């Protein structure tokens, strides 16, 4: 413990015991020239080889080069990113990053830097043939790094920040978001086929980030009017007396380091148990700060109880000014960026939802550091699920997302509807969105379909088992790199133990179909007929003594119920039949056939039939067609007919002002 | 101005017979869409148990599934509403001809209403189209640049608050302008009736008069606007307190809604009467 280093007003970043393997550590010292929007820096990468291979080359992410020109893989083939065009950019508005010196420490014969122009250090394109893409840098090593050995790579780099296109960069009035801004090591790992190699993908528009755990020390010197929010805790703050300031941050067991500075930030602090919450808020968003902080407190409380411990002593909320909003909506270790605007009304809970979402990433992505580039559903889908749970827990099932002017809806129902409203529900498998489908990736399949699938799982298993399942997954995989198969293995293990083999196969089928296949779920109760029993009628006997019998009613009813499977997804369902005397009957259906008819007798008339009456299968894309009744609530027809009429009358009265 | 305001309301209440015709016509048009919604609900989710969720409260899931699968209200509104608006705009030309004529003569009878509607239909149609065109042009000229250049405006301003203030300021100016335009349109039509001027002359005189009496016209119309807002607020309060959550309340609210709609029609007549009172501040002929 070196807690003594921490300034009295800041948190303590040091863990007594390492939580991860810490194989990618960084020591960065930089100077920011805010007028030129440029940083010059030295960086030491301390990288430990945990593989059985001798490493001959390093691979570094150079994300900022995505914003160098339109030939980058990130910007190529599009004219706008996240709804913003970048056509009228001046020379000053583009961004880039360059390693000007890279030295493998301890190699006597490598005292001179290897110039990047020599071709020894070069940009490579492991994923596409775009030779102009400079988002991955290959650094051949003079001396291979043996298994278990540590590499010290001393670098110098310069980074010019772009005017924000996506996430990172600068905006007016000295607003800077330093997000994925330094040369960062890729991940050397065993792939799914069991072979070791670099997982260091180029930067694509539709995919995010993936990196190893380590300890970060970042020291920045910058003009003293800039107020900083950063990952980790401040361990040094020194006024240089020349209008600049040098501050240093330290954070352990994280996969990245982000920082933001702005001339008009105001720092709001609060404490939740061991966690210091800092909200960096533009002065004119001051009144929103308590809402942001409360959203983080709610998330901390809920996730600690339902997922696991948040071991870090700090979390920084960055609330960008409206003109820097495109740096918002993101998650970095112990730092999240939200999105709000001056005067955002209380009933507009998108402000809180965003913060909850990004905070939940501290668990799903920062600690459970899955590969966002290849399996985005593992973080975004789980985060959507918890965002909805947390929102509902604090604001109510049907009011957690919006509660304005009598219009309200909850996070969970919104998520489901976002998924069910996409044009082609069977357009592709969730697992393929992004990595295998970079051009037309469906965000909804990654976020909302996965989230809705997890709700379905929760309802099938019960909340308690679901919580234990997630806790087991978290405890087993935190500070590691879990894959989809790892989650499934944990899930099936817990389900089998708690709910038996039959439920295990249901859950496995649910996971496989909703994540790895393109199908969707739609069960329908298409018809229900209940007819009182009656005696046979017509002519009976032979020609000699033909007997005519009239039909007569008998006690009891004959019932027919038809159910259809309209989607490709197959799940067992229950059908609940309600009779007039209040009694009910449950039919269990394996859900396999495209259409199936059930016939049965009853004492009183059947009133309604309902597939999955508890709506456990929340993934079903049409819940209205799950039930059939002969006694519908017809007053609702009038309610909406009259509402629409009233609305139309008002529209007509308003449009005819001038005629 | 206050006098014109009260005079306007007096005229409105005396015109209750005409107002009833206008109300019924509008009611029938709206009923078409209402019945379309009724039958759409019946044929799409009419047998679903989920319907009961819609009675108690607004239910996002039920309505979204309805729209996703069946097109629901969206389909009806996008296909039906434009036609209704068009029919109503034309009907409204006739209605304003009849109303203004009746107001000018101080005789609020059906006979005069029909006669005026027929006599001034084509000239009021032309005047109406000119004002509608000006209104649409100015609306587009103001709001499209303000909304479309959000990205350049925001950083250029000292802060976000200013953007909100600018929007509010422009909105107020815009509303004042719309009221001015409405005053001018009404005056132009009255000139057509009173002096039987050409369309062009009526337009010129209408604008000229509204411009010369700018504060009075704005003041009068703002008073009317506040009266309307007050009633809207009352309606919101009642609706917020309960809403259509049981079969009985559905019909109670239907009644309240129709009273509200009838009020809006009287309100419009009141505006015409008020403008006329400003134009000829003599006295009541009766
Ligand atoms: Zn996310």
């Amino acid at each position: 413990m070196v807690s003594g280093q921490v300034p009295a007003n800041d948190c303590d970043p040091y863990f007594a015991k390492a939580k991860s393997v810490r194989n990618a550590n960084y020591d960065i010292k930089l100077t920011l020239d805010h007028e030129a929007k440029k940083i010059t820096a030295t960086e030491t990468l301390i990288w430990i080889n945990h593989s059985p291979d001798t490493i001959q080359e390093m691979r570094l992410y150079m994300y900022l080069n995505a914003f160098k020109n339109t030939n980058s893989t990130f910007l190529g083939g599009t004219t706008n990113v996240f709804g913003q065009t970048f056509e009228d950019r001046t020379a000053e508005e583009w961004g880039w990053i360059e390693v000007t010196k890279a030295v493998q420490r301890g190699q006597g014969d490598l005292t001179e830097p290897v110039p990047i122009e020599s071709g020894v250090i070069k940009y490579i394109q492991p994923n596409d043939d775009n030779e102009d893409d400079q988002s991955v840098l290959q650094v051949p090593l003079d001396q291979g790094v043996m298994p278990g050995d540590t590499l010290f790579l001393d670098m110098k780099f310069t980074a010019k920040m772009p005017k924000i296109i996506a996430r990172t960069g600068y905006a007016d009035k000295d607003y800077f978001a330093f997000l994925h801004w330094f040369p960062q090591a890729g991940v050397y790992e065993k792939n799914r086929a069991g072979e070791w190699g670099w997982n260091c993908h180029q930067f694509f528009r539709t995919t995010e980030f993936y990196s190893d755990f380590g300890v970060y020390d970042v020291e920045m010197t910058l003009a003293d009017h800039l107020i900083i929010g950063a990952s980790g805790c401040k361990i040094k703050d020194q006024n240089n007396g020349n209008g600049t300031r040098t501050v240093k941050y330290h954070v352990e067991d994280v996969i990245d380091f982000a920082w933001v500075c702005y001339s008009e930030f105001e720092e709001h602090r609060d404490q939740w148990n061991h966690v210091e919450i800092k909200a960096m808020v533009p002065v004119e968003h001051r009144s929103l700060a308590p809402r942001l902080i409360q959203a983080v407190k709610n998330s901390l409380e809920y996730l600690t109880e339902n997922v696991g411990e948040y071991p870090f002593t700090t979390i920084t909320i960055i609330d960008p000014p409206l003109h820097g909003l495109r740096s918002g909506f993101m998650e970095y270790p112990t730092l999240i960026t939200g999105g709000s605007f001056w005067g955002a009304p209380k009933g507009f809970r998108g402000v809180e939802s965003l913060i909850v979402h990004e905070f939940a990433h501290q668990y799903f992505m920062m600690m459970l550091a899955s590969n966002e580039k290849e399996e985005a559903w593992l973080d975004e889908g789980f985060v959507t699920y918890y965002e909805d749970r947390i929102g509902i827990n604090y604001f109510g099932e049907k009011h957690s997302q919006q509660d304005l002017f009598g219009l309200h809806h909850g996070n969970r129902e919104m998520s489901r509807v976002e998924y069910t409203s996409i044009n082609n529900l069977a357009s592709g498998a969730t697992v393929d969105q992004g990595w295998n489908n970079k051009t037309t990736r469906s965000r909804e399949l990654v976020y909302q379909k996965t989230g809705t699938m997890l709700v379905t799982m929760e309802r099938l298993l019960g909340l308690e088992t679901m919580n234990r399942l997630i806790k087991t997954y978290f405890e087993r995989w935190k500070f590691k790199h879990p894959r989809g198969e790892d989650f499934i293995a944990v899930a099936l293990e817990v389900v089998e133990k708690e709910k038996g083999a039959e439920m295990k196969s249901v859950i496995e089928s649910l996971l496989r179909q909703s994540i790895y296949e393109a199908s969707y779920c739609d069960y329908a109760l298409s018809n229900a007929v209940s007819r009182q029993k009656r005696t046979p009628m017509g002519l009976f006997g032979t020609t000699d003594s033909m007997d005519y019998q009239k039909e007569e009613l008998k006690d009891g009813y004959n019932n027919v119920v038809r159910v259809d499977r309209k989607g490709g997804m197959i799940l067992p369902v229950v059908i609940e039949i309600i009779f007039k005397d209040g009694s009910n009957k449950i039919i269990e259906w394996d859900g396999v056939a495209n259409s199936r008819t059930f016939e049965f007798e009853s004492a009183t008339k059947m009133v309604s039939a309902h597939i999955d009456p508890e709506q456990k299968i929340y993934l079903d894309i049409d819940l209205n067609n799950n039930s059939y009744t002969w006694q519908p609530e017809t007053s609702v027809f009038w309610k909406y007919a009259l509402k629409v009429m009233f609305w139309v009358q008002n529209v007509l009265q308003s449009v005819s002002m001038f005629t | 101005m206050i006098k014109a305001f009260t005079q306007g309301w007096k005229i409105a209440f005396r015109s209750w017979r005409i107002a009833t015709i206008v109300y019924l016509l509008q009611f029938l048009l709206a009923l078409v869409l209402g019945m379309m919604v009724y039958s759409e609900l019946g044929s799409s989710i009419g047998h679903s148990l989920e319907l009961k969720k819609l009675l108690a409260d607004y239910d996002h899931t039920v309505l979204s599934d309805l729209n996703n699968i069946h097109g629901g209200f969206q389909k009806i509104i996008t296909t039906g509403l434009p036609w209704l608006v068009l029919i109503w705009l034309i009907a409204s030309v006739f209605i304003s001809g009849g109303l203004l004529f009746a107001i000018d003569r101080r005789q609020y009878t059906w006979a005069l209403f029909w006669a005026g509607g027929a006599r001034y239909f084509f000239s009021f149609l032309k005047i109406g189209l000119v004002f509608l065109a000006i209104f649409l042009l100015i609306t587009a000229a103001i709001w499209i640049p303000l909304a479309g250049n959000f990205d350049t405006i925001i950083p250029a301003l000292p802060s976000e608050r200013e953007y909100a203030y600018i929007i509010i300021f422009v909105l107020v100016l815009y509303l004042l302008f719309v009221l001015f335009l409405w005053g001018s349109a009404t005056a132009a039509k009255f000139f057509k009736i009173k002096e039987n001027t050409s369309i062009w002359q009526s337009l010129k005189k209408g604008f000229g008069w509204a411009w010369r009496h700018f504060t009075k016209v704005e003041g009068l119309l703002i008073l009317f606007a506040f009266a309307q807002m007050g009633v809207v607020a009352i309606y919101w309060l009642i609706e917020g307190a309960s809403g259509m959550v049981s079969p009985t309340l559905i019909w109670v609210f239907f009644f309240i809604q129709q009273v509200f709609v009838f009020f809006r029609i009287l309100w419009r007549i009141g505006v015409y009467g008020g403008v006329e009172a400003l134009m000829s501040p003599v006295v009541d002929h009766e």
Side-chain angles (χ1 to χ4, degrees), chain A residues 208 329 331 357-358 361 379-380 383 447:
Chain A
E208 293 191 328
F329 321 113
E331 66 279 6
H357 178 105
E358 307 310 344
H361 273 300
D379 65 311
E380 297 300 355
V383 161
Y447 288 67

Side-chain angles (χ1 to χ4, degrees), chain A residues 57-121:
Chain A
E57 60 163 71
M58 286 303 291
R59 289 193 184 180
L60 304 173
Y61 295 118
M62 304 286 275
Y63 290 119
L64 284 177
N65 284 334
F67 311 108
K68 194 170 179 179
N69 56 54
T70 51
N71 276 359
S72 72
T73 291
F74 190 96
L75 293 182
T78 189
T79 51
N80 80 69
V81 174
F82 302 157
Q84 186 201 20
T85 62
F86 43 85
E87 280 160 339
D88 307 321
R89 295 214 148 213
T90 62
E92 291 75 46
E93 292 174 340
W94 298 92
W96 47 263
I97 178 168
E98 211 170 270
V99 171
T100 52
K101 191 175 180 179
V103 179
Q104 185 176 5
R105 201 185 290 175
Q107 296 307 309
D109 55 341
L110 198 64
T111 46
E112 284 304 307
V114 178
I116 198 157
E117 295 79 17
S118 71
V120 177
I121 295 179

Side-chain angles (χ1 to χ4, degrees), chain A residues 188-208:
Chain A
Y188 197 85
E189 65 173 14
K190 209 195 285 186
N191 67 15
R192 265 170 253 201
E195 297 148 354
W196 285 88
W198 280 109
N199 189 315
C200 187
H201 296 312
Q202 287 164 256
F203 197 15
F204 291 87
R205 272 194 303 288
T206 50
T207 61
E208 293 191 328

